[in-house]
Amino acid sequence: MQNTAPLNWRRFPERYLLRGSYCETCKQAFFPSRAICPNCRRKGKLISIEMPRTGKIISYTRVHVPPEGFKNEAPYYLAIIELENGAKVLSQIVDSDPEKIKIGAKVKKVFRRIAEPDEYGTITYGYKFKVVE
Amino acid sequence: MRVVIVGAGITKFAEHWNKSFRELIVEAAVKAIESSGLKGEQIEAIYGGCMASGRLIGQEHIGALIADQLGLNPIPSTRCEAACASGGVALRTAYLAIKSGLHSIVAVGGVEKMTELSTQAVSFALGGAGDQEIELFHGATFPSLYALLARAHMHAYGTTEEQMASVAVKNHANALLNPNAQFHKEITIEDVMNSAYVAEPIKLLDCSPITDGAAALILASEDKAKELGLKGVEILASEQASDTLALSSRESLTELKATRIAAQKAYERAGIRPSDIDFAEVHDCFTIAEILAIEDLGFFKKGEGGLASEKGKTSLKGKIPINPSGGLKAKGHPVGATGVAQAVEAYMQLMGLADKRQVKNARIGLTHNVGGSGATAVVTIYKRFKG
Ligand SMILES: [Zn+2]
């Protein structure tokens, strides 16, 4: 992925604060933010909200062959997390006992560096999650 | 207006160090034209599937390139891109062009030249099939996205790594009988289980390879086929569905909804049921993908695909042979060519030309082509054409 500075800046609210959308018509939360509610389309009323910082793992994997920018991290855990408002997010799981990384485990958001600087020199930061006891 | 495949051609799938992108597509296209008995000047339009030539060989504008290299200027030539479903979308678009009545003879191509770059660079190019900003950004790779699907399926239905391995073993066994396959190597469950993890629970031998190759078809309207006395295979239905690029935005992680929807619509249009299908070429980019496919296509109940694979129900002599060609896993997966190559196999099987891998009494076949981790699915159903 090409992490140019403008792209990185545009994504600050989502990556730093886990900001997404909430549709006041159908009461569904979405992450990341979107312009149109897929349920209600033009009848939808989307507002920007900060997502809850906790959720649970609904699937996970341990990545052994990393893409560019993640060599120092590998092997690392990735998971799909269902947040408390029902929105889902893919994230790394860090600072956790591997035994406790399983489907159903409760997790909370932490703030970390994401990848090693690429050819654009941008250092990217954002959310990761850790298992809570 | 019915649509008939009247010719098919394919290159060997391999690491073609000595063949270029353009040589591959020309070879497949010439074979397809020759098998149809038509002449190049009878072709009215071209649709070509290609996923990532910009990244892989620095070349875009593939539609015009193909027409030029085939000596078919100035007919319209259009590239179709839907990640690994590019070939399936090209086939469906050509089918629509004839269905619409605008054209009566159309060529379909699919091509990818993947071995010019390092594995790392190819992985980056293929990553474009997923949601870059939301998922690849966080360190997701294609094996890891399918690993997340696999883990969810294992958790929900008790699917095992051995069951996934049995898919690879079966597809390698089928590829032994396919002279155009990339791998001619028998493997065992132990080989797969002992191969290194790429993204748990997916291991190296659960993955399809990096491949160069091309495939092509000639499609004709029913009237034209009758007029010219052409034999072939009729396309009974070709349906396509879309879903979110981001895996985390999907409603369910234990199915590919786009496959299920495209299949339902295709069965409806063809007026048949899953049990009427005699064989299928499905999109096994990873072994778990074949297990999901045989469930989502309705051949087995949700959750029973792993066990069915382990019990041999999908082998060449099983209840429903899946991937008689060897599939993406062992025939090879030149991404943009795959959807067209699947149709070439359906054509060969229904024409009785599949030699040692011939499915007995093959009357109706199905192909299933997926883009990325399921954001596009194309399901096409075929039957021998009786003029
Ligand atoms: Zn809504």
Side-chain angles (χ1 to χ4, degrees):
Chain A
M1 138 122 264
Q2 292 157 330
N3 289 303
T4 58
L7 165 60
N8 204 36
W9 293 335
R10 283 200 307 276
R11 289 290 183 182
F12 279 174
E14 161 197 315
R15 290 174 181 169
Y16 287 19
L17 300 170
L18 213 61
R19 280 203 92 86
S21 304
Y22 177 76
C23 177
E24 292 184 322
T25 308
C26 67
K27 316 286 184 214
Q28 194 178 334
F30 301 97
F31 185 83
S33 300
R34 50 187 304 143
I36 291 178
C37 172
N39 304 325
C40 316
R41 291 187 291 277
R42 303 260 294 273
K43 293 193 187 78
K45 280 203 189 90
L46 287 173
I47 57 165
S48 173
I49 60 160
E50 207 170 301
M51 293 286 134
R53 293 163 184 220
T54 54
K56 64 173 201 279
I57 293 175
I58 58 171
S59 192
Y60 67 94
T61 176
R62 192 171 187 222
V63 179
H64 292 256
V65 180
E68 209 69 66
F70 291 84
K71 294 214 171 65
N72 293 343
E73 315 264 334
Y76 53 88
Y77 286 90
L78 274 184
I80 294 183
I81 294 151
E82 185 175 310
L83 300 168
E84 272 167 14
N85 62 2
K88 286 176 284 191
V89 52
L90 181 146
S91 169
Q92 281 192 39
I93 303 289
V94 292
D95 303 344
S96 303
D97 177 357
E99 299 272 295
K100 302 223 160 107
I101 300 175
K102 48 176 95 148
I103 293 175
K106 285 209 167 107
V107 291
K108 73 168 187 185
K109 187 184 90 154
V110 293
F111 187 72
R112 291 287 184 276
R113 192 175 85 163
I114 299 292
E116 297 140 31
D118 61 13
E119 58 186 299
Y120 296 89
T122 318
I123 300 175
T124 51
Y125 294 89
Y127 54 80
K128 293 186 182 180
F129 282 76
K130 67 181 274 190
V131 174
V132 290
E133 306 296 318
Chain B
M1 180 60 69
R2 296 193 289 169
V3 179
V4 188
I5 301 174
V6 297
I10 191 165
T11 67
K12 183 169 168 51
F13 280 12
E15 296 192 9
H16 281 295
W17 300 101
N18 58 344
K19 282 186 188 164
S20 67
F21 181 96
R22 53 187 80 186
E23 287 170 306
L24 288 166
I25 187 60
V26 166
E27 180 185 328
V30 167
K31 282 180 178 166
I33 296 168
E34 282 177 353
S35 95
S36 71
L38 294 167
K39 294 199 175 74
E41 57 263 33
Q42 291 172 286
I43 296 169
E44 298 161 25
I46 299 169
Y47 295 91
C50 175
M51 174 189 168
S53 59
R55 281 271 166 212
L56 295 169
I57 61 166
Q59 182 69 62
E60 309 288 14
H61 213 167
I62 295 309
L65 179 72
I66 295 173
D68 173 29
Q69 293 297 308
L70 288 171
L72 291 179
N73 284 339
I75 64 170
S77 184
T78 307
R79 172 182 176 174
C80 300
E81 190 273 314
C84 324
S86 299
V89 169
L91 168 62
R92 180 167 186 273
T93 307
Y95 159 86
L96 296 178
I98 291 181
K99 272 274 180 211
S100 74
L102 191 64
H103 291 301
S104 56
I105 298 179
V106 169
V108 183
V111 55
E112 212 76 60
K113 174 74 188 164
M114 303 179 73
T115 63
E116 309 274 48
L117 299 178
S118 67
T119 302
Q120 192 74 231
V122 172
S123 300
F124 178 69
L126 296 177
D131 195 320
Q132 285 281 11
E133 292 186 25
I134 304 312
E135 298 198 327
L136 283 282
F137 171 80
H138 289 278
T141 57
F142 261 89
S144 68
L145 294 175
Y146 274 93
L148 291 164
L149 290 165
R151 182 71 71 194
H153 203 271
M154 291 165 81
H155 183 76
Y157 303 113
T159 303
T160 66
E161 292 184 41
E162 286 82 358
Q163 289 173 350
M164 291 189 252
S166 72
V167 172
V169 170
K170 182 263 297 172
N171 286 348
H172 272 257
N174 290 353
L176 272 177
L177 308 174
N178 181 354
N180 289 320
Q182 182 168 4
F183 295 130
H184 291 127
K185 186 179 190 301
E186 202 170 350
I187 60 168
T188 64
I189 298 284
E190 291 69 40
D191 292 334
V192 184
M193 295 302 289
N194 292 331
S195 65
Y197 277 119
V198 177
E200 295 174 36
I202 289 181
K203 294 170 283 291
L204 186 63
L205 290 183
D206 287 304
C207 307
S208 55
I210 288 169
T211 312
D212 300 325
L217 301 162
I218 308 297
L219 268 50
S221 67
E222 175 187 10
D223 289 353
K224 199 56 136 180
K226 282 182 180 161
E227 179 193 321
L228 301 173
L230 303 173
K231 290 197 177 69
V233 163
E234 181 185 346
I235 298 177
L236 295 178
S238 184
E239 294 290 339
Q240 179 179 338
S242 310
D243 203 347
T244 64
L245 261 70
L247 190 65
S248 52
S249 301
R250 302 275 170 82
E251 283 165 34
S252 165
L253 292 180
T254 54
E255 67 164 5
L256 295 189
K257 188 178 173 187
T259 295
R260 180 164 56 77
I261 304 282
Q264 275 170 2
K265 290 169 72 180
Y267 291 134
E268 208 169 290
R269 185 171 296 278
I272 62 165
R273 291 172 303 175
S275 58
D276 294 321
I277 303 290
D278 297 312
F279 70 92
E281 285 282 309
V282 309
H283 198 92
D284 60 322
C285 48
F286 299 94
T287 52
I288 185 63
E290 178 165 319
I291 290 172
L292 291 169
I294 61 179
E295 296 171 356
D296 298 338
L297 293 166
F299 302 144
F300 298 96
K301 282 199 195 112
K302 186 44 72 183
E304 295 179 3
L307 192 62
S309 301
E310 192 170 42
K311 297 263 186 221
K313 291 186 179 174
T314 57
S315 69
L316 214 42
K317 296 208 165 76
K319 177 184 164 224
I320 173 156
I322 301 292
N323 285 325
S325 71
L328 284 55
K329 172 69 196 84
K331 181 183 60 184
H333 184 27
V335 284
T338 284
V340 181
Q342 292 176 323
V344 170
E345 181 67 13
Y347 174 88
M348 304 281 280
Q349 290 287 349
L350 293 168
M351 295 294 281
L353 300 171
D355 200 19
K356 287 182 183 145
R357 63 183 194 283
Q358 182 65 49
V359 174
K360 287 237 166 65
N361 305 317
R363 294 167 304 109
I364 301 182
L366 176 149
T367 62
H368 161 251
N369 191 199
V370 170
S373 64
T376 298
V378 185
V379 174
T380 305
I381 299 175
Y382 315 77
K383 176 181 128 182
R384 184 81 184 258
F385 175 64
K386 295 208 179 67

